[in-house]
């Protein structure tokens, strides 16, 4: 059957020569005479055949290939069908003009011009963070902030939103281990309170910021969809790498709703996800520069090295490889991605940073009951309690309850850090906790080893050598077993799951990965169970660390001050 289309054009001669392109339903449809080279170029650029319309069509949502499409239109002299189409093509050309500037800015360690960024009183930004915010502004609030871990992706996103209060309320999606930290950062960088959404109970309204973890996102989706969020932050965005996962589907639905309202969508990840292009694609859909169906129409063949395999006698195409990564990286930087590495901004960073990550415990009722019972016991005994062993035993029971309550979030944080940084040193105090973390990491397939009390000097050194010579590894260390005499400076990140009683022991442990004069900046993370004895112990240790009198640097002194904090 022959299909005839009547197209109203002013000059039939032009059409016969080169054809026309028309914008219909957010698609550029190419009504052109058959030309083998033109068809080949269009298909290579991501256009697909529409048999019903008898034309090749290209979705304008797929911004990755704007330069190729415009080049084809100009190369073959294809004319716009009407003023609407012409305006769309001109908009695409303007986007292309921005690419070179945004590409340069995506590497920038300082703003390319003076940027008017409003900050809360007493807050300051590094120059590279200002450049990151400038990039987000240039991208119209749709950006993949992919700076290496520890460079302040959270801060850059919050400062952008602080400068755009018209995009409130904001929904922030993150791992459970980072919810409390987000709440604190929101207060610090915007001056506003945030609502932490939990699995139980209703969601309170009237807040400017809401924080929810991926695990419960799909359960709360219906309510969230009706809250008219005007902006969305997707933290640790590599969590939505799997299209089939409920959290990915929920995140994409929420991102579409925000984009429909004209609001910003920010995806944050320090993982070098460009090296796994298939896992990156859902993020591009969330940011609105691609549609789901475009994965197989173009993206997979361009960047995922697809190949056919036999499954139960059938030929199946899989696309979990990688190809043309330099091209993909260049396009992403020009469109949506800003990424700087620590080595690029080393001159702006302090040599060692201590970062407290607050965690919410899962056994809150049980912990609060035991802590109240302890306080009542101590007040009843008062000064009569002269048995430090008994006192210490009760405090240790509180510490273990806090540790157990935060264990799942602790493992989640360690795994996320490993994904971002590859070589991680983890310090613990209790051997039982170290063993449990080791078991969970082994289940996750992580290259892991440990140093514990009772190991020979030779075995310790062999484990240290293994870690230092590995590209990807986690080493778990008992603070007292590995606090002295070992060098782990091949890593630039340490995580304290729990603290030792003595500030000097904590300092010695930190020094395993940090030495004065070394070239790389070091990040030290303290995972602290919020509103527990751990917060009090951290406060005491921080105070003691400032004292010069080493006589005060002992367990009894710390214990006495810890009791005072608990009684407040």
């Amino acid at each position: 059957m022959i299909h005839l289309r009547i197209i109203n054009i002013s000059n039939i001669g032009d059409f016969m020569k080169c054809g026309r392109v028309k914008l219909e339903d957010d698609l550029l449809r190419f009504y052109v005479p058959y030309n083998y080279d033109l068809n080949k170029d269009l298909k290579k650029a991501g256009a697909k055949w529409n048999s019903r319309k008898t034309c090749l069509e290209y979705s304008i949502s797929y911004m990755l290939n704007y330069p190729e499409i415009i080049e084809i239109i100009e190369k073959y002299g294809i004319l716009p069908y009407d003023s609407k189409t012409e305006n769309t093509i001109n908009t695409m050309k303007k986007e292309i003009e921005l690419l070179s500037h945004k590409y340069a800015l995506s590497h920038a360690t300082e703003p390319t011009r003076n940027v008017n960024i409003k900050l809360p009183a007493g807050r300051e930004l590094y120059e590279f963070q200002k450049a990151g915010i400038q990039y987000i502004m240039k991208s119209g609030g749709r950006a993949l902030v992919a700076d290496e871990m520890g460079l302040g992706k959270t801060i850059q996103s919050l400062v952008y939103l602080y400068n755009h209060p018209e995009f409130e309320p904001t929904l922030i999606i993150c791992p459970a281990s980072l919810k409390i930290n987000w709440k604190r950062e929101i207060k610090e960088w915007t001056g506003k309170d945030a609502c932490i959404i939990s699995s139980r109970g209703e969601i309170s309204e009237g807040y400017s910021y809401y924080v929810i973890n991926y695990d419960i996102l799909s359960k709360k989706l219906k309510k969230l969809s009706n809250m008219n969020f005007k902006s969305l932050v997707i933290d640790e965005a590599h969590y939505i790498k799997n299209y089939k996962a409920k959290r990915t589907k929920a995140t994409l639905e929420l991102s579409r709703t925000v984009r429909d309202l004209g609001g910003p969508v920010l995806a944050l990840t320090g993982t070098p996800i460009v090296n796994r292009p298939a896992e990156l694609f859902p993020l591009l859909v969330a940011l609105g520069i691609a549609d789901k169906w475009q994965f197989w129409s173009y993206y997979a063949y361009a960047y995922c090295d697809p190949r056919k395999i036999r499954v139960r006698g059938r030929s199946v195409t899989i696309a979990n490889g990688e190809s043309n990564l330099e091209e993909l990286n260049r396009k992403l930087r020009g469109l949506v991605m800003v990424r700087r590495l620590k080595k690029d901004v080393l001159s702006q960073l302090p040599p060692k940073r201590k970062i407290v990550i607050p965690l919410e415990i899962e056994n809150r009722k049980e912990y609060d009951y035991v802590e109240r019972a302890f306080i009542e016991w101590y007040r009843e005994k008062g000064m009569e309690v002269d048995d430090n062993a008994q006192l210490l035993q009760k405090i240790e029971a509180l510490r273990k309850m806090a540790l157990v309550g935060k264990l799942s979030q602790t493992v989640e944080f360690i795994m996320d850090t490993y994904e971002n940084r590859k070589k991680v040193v983890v310090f613990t105090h209790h051997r039982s906790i170290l063993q449990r973390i080791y078991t969970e990491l082994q289940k996750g397939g992580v290259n892991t080893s440990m140093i514990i009390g009772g190991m020979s000097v030779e075995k310790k050194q062999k484990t240290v050598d293994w870690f230092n010579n590995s590209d990807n590894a986690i080493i778990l260390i008992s603070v007292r077993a590995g606090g002295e005499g070992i060098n782990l400076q091949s890593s630039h990140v340490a995580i304290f799951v729990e603290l030792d009683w003595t500030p000097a022991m904590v300092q010695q442990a930190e020094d395993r990965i940090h030495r004065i004069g070394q070239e790389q900046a070091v990040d030290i993370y303290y995972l602290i169970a919020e509103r527990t004895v751990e917060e009090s112990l951290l406060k005491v240790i921080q105070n003691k660390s400032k004292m010069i009198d080493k006589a005060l640097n002992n367990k009894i002194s710390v214990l006495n001050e810890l009791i005072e904090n608990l009684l407040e």
Side-chain angles (χ1 to χ4, degrees):
M1 180 180 293
I2 300 174
H3 293 274
L4 296 176
R5 291 186 61 81
I6 300 174
I7 302 176
N8 180 23
I9 57 175
S10 59
N11 189 334
I12 194 69
D14 285 339
F15 175 73
M16 295 302 294
K17 177 183 177 184
C18 56
R20 293 268 176 151
V21 56
K22 184 179 182 181
L23 179 68
E24 298 177 316
D25 302 322
D26 290 331
L27 296 164
L28 285 178
R29 291 192 169 124
F30 291 83
Y31 299 107
V32 295
Y34 179 77
N35 179 312
Y36 174 81
D37 291 332
L38 171 59
N39 283 17
K40 181 180 176 182
D41 287 346
L42 280 171
K43 288 179 180 179
K44 187 177 179 182
K48 67 175 185 176
W49 177 254
N50 183 326
S51 57
R52 189 170 63 87
K53 295 286 187 179
T54 61
C55 67
L56 282 164
E57 60 187 20
Y58 179 85
S59 172
I60 60 172
S61 67
Y62 193 69
M63 297 175 67
L64 280 178
N65 282 1
Y66 275 16
E68 287 88 340
I69 291 296
I70 295 300
E71 184 179 346
I72 290 169
I73 289 172
E74 293 179 347
K75 175 181 176 181
Y76 291 94
I78 302 171
L79 301 175
Y81 183 89
D82 51 24
S83 59
K84 182 181 177 182
T85 306
E86 185 175 12
N87 290 337
T88 298
I89 292 173
N90 288 335
T91 299
M92 292 170 69
K93 289 180 179 179
K94 289 178 182 178
E95 288 288 344
I96 294 170
E97 289 173 6
L98 277 174
L99 293 182
S100 59
H101 180 247
K102 286 176 65 179
Y103 179 81
L105 193 57
S106 74
H107 299 84
T109 57
E110 59 184 28
T112 56
R113 56 177 173 78
N114 290 330
V115 186
N116 184 22
I117 300 174
K118 182 176 67 173
L119 292 173
R123 299 288 107 200
E124 291 184 5
L125 295 170
Y126 294 114
E127 290 300 304
F128 71 86
Q129 291 173 334
K130 294 177 184 177
I133 295 165
Q134 184 185 6
Y135 186 97
I136 296 172
M137 291 174 173
K138 279 284 183 185
S139 301
R142 309 274 174 85
L144 171 59
V145 184
D147 289 337
E148 191 175 6
M149 184 179 181
L151 297 186
K153 295 182 290 294
T154 299
I155 292 171
Q156 291 173 67
S157 62
L158 286 176
V159 171
Y160 172 79
L161 293 169
Y162 177 72
N163 281 262
H164 292 277
E166 69 272 19
F167 294 131
E168 295 176 359
T170 297
L171 178 65
I172 295 157
I173 308 171
C174 67
S177 59
L178 296 177
K179 286 167 72 175
I180 304 299
N181 189 61
W182 266 101
K183 182 178 181 178
R184 289 192 176 186
E185 295 282 18
I186 288 166
K187 185 68 174 178
E188 187 171 336
W189 288 94
T190 72
K192 296 185 178 181
D193 293 320
C195 174
I196 300 292
I197 301 173
S198 62
S199 57
R200 300 187 185 92
E202 297 298 316
I203 302 175
S204 302
E205 298 195 22
Y207 286 86
S208 296
Y209 293 89
Y210 291 80
V211 183
I212 189 170
N213 53 303
Y214 287 102
D215 306 323
I216 64 173
L217 187 61
S218 60
K219 296 177 183 178
K220 300 287 185 179
L221 180 60
K222 186 175 180 180
K223 172 65 175 177
L224 294 171
S225 297
N226 293 325
M227 290 181 67
N228 294 320
F229 289 108
K230 294 181 181 177
S231 52
L232 177 68
V233 179
I234 309 167
D235 192 19
E236 300 297 343
H238 50 277
Y239 270 55
I240 63 166
K241 61 187 178 183
N242 181 1
Y243 266 124
K244 295 180 181 179
K246 289 182 179 179
R247 63 190 178 197
T248 302
K249 294 176 181 177
T251 302
L252 294 181
E253 184 173 330
L254 289 166
S255 68
R256 183 170 58 251
T257 301
V258 170
R259 294 197 316 271
D260 288 346
L261 293 173
V265 176
L266 300 174
L268 318 181
T269 177
T271 301
I273 201 166
V274 175
N275 296 331
R276 291 169 288 187
E279 297 177 1
L280 170 68
F281 194 76
L283 276 68
L284 306 185
V285 176
L287 292 170
I289 66 166
D291 287 327
K292 185 177 178 179
W293 61 266
Q294 292 164 342
F295 180 79
W296 285 111
S297 69
Y298 174 75
Y299 184 90
Y301 295 95
Y303 305 117
C304 302
D305 190 25
R307 65 186 190 279
K308 292 185 180 296
I309 60 172
R310 302 293 294 181
V311 178
R312 297 178 182 177
R314 296 171 54 195
S315 178
V316 178
T317 303
I318 61 171
N320 57 4
E322 57 187 57
S323 55
N324 303 316
L325 292 188
E326 287 188 15
E327 175 189 308
L328 178 59
N329 182 66
R330 185 177 66 254
K331 287 187 174 184
L332 289 175
R333 284 183 176 275
L335 282 169
V336 292
M337 186 178 78
V338 55
R339 178 168 172 80
R340 283 75 54 90
L341 305 179
K342 265 195 168 182
K343 63 182 179 66
D344 302 325
V345 297
L346 201 58
S347 62
Q348 299 182 39
L349 299 175
K352 180 168 70 173
R353 295 186 296 173
K354 299 183 181 183
I355 304 158
V356 175
I357 302 295
L359 302 177
E360 181 57 85
I361 58 175
E362 297 172 354
N363 55 348
R364 172 58 62 189
K365 284 186 178 180
E366 295 88 342
Y367 176 86
D368 287 346
Y369 175 81
V370 174
E371 185 178 278
R372 283 195 302 270
F374 166 77
I375 292 172
E376 289 173 9
W377 171 83
Y378 185 83
R379 283 176 171 160
E380 181 182 336
K381 298 292 183 180
M383 297 304 294
E384 296 176 17
V385 181
D386 56 0
D387 184 353
N388 284 320
Q390 185 184 16
L391 188 59
L392 188 60
Q393 186 179 26
K394 289 184 177 292
I395 292 290
E396 282 294 323
L398 276 178
R399 291 184 68 188
K400 283 196 173 182
M401 285 202 74
L403 280 166
V404 171
K406 71 176 185 180
L407 191 60
S408 63
Q409 292 183 41
T410 295
V411 173
E412 180 181 69
F413 185 86
I414 293 170
M415 291 288 284
D416 285 341
T417 306
Y418 172 74
E419 280 282 314
N420 284 278
R421 302 290 280 275
K422 300 306 179 188
K423 298 189 73 169
V424 183
V425 180
V426 179
F427 289 106
T428 67
H429 179 70
H430 292 91
R431 185 166 180 166
S432 60
I433 297 297
L434 184 148
Q435 291 280 7
R436 289 178 67 174
I437 294 173
Y438 177 81
T439 300
E440 292 300 316
L441 294 177
Q442 288 281 295
K443 288 179 183 177
V446 177
N447 196 21
T448 312
S449 191
M450 55 185 175
I451 293 177
I452 55 178
M455 289 177 66
S456 66
V457 173
E458 292 77 11
K459 192 170 182 180
K460 281 185 184 180
Q461 190 57 51
K462 187 177 180 180
T463 304
V464 169
D465 291 342
W466 162 84
F467 179 77
N468 286 332
N469 293 325
S470 298
D471 293 327
N472 308 298
I474 294 177
I475 187 168
L476 302 169
I477 304 176
S478 168
V479 172
R480 291 185 176 260
E484 295 180 325
I486 59 176
N487 184 337
L488 299 166
Q489 291 175 49
S490 63
S491 173
H492 305 118
V493 58
I495 298 171
F496 281 83
V497 174
E498 49 183 328
L499 298 170
D500 191 87
W501 284 100
T502 313
M505 291 299 296
V506 176
Q507 183 64 51
Q508 286 176 359
E510 289 179 0
D511 289 343
R512 296 314 98 213
I513 71 166
H514 178 262
R515 287 285 190 277
I516 294 173
Q518 73 182 65
E519 294 183 358
Q520 278 282 7
V522 167
D523 289 334
I524 312 288
Y525 293 94
Y526 294 97
L527 307 187
I528 303 298
E530 190 181 46
R531 293 182 289 128
T532 71
V533 65
E534 289 193 347
E535 275 193 336
S536 300
L537 181 57
L538 177 65
K539 183 178 179 181
V540 173
I541 287 178
Q542 287 174 334
N543 289 338
K544 296 293 185 189
S545 297
K546 297 173 184 176
M547 297 181 180
I548 299 175
D549 187 354
K550 292 183 180 180
L552 294 174
N553 204 6
N554 60 71
K555 183 181 291 187
I556 302 304
S557 173
V558 171
L559 182 59
N560 290 336
E561 195 168 328
L562 176 62
I563 297 296
E564 291 177 15
N565 274 274
L566 283 172
L567 294 177
E568 287 179 356

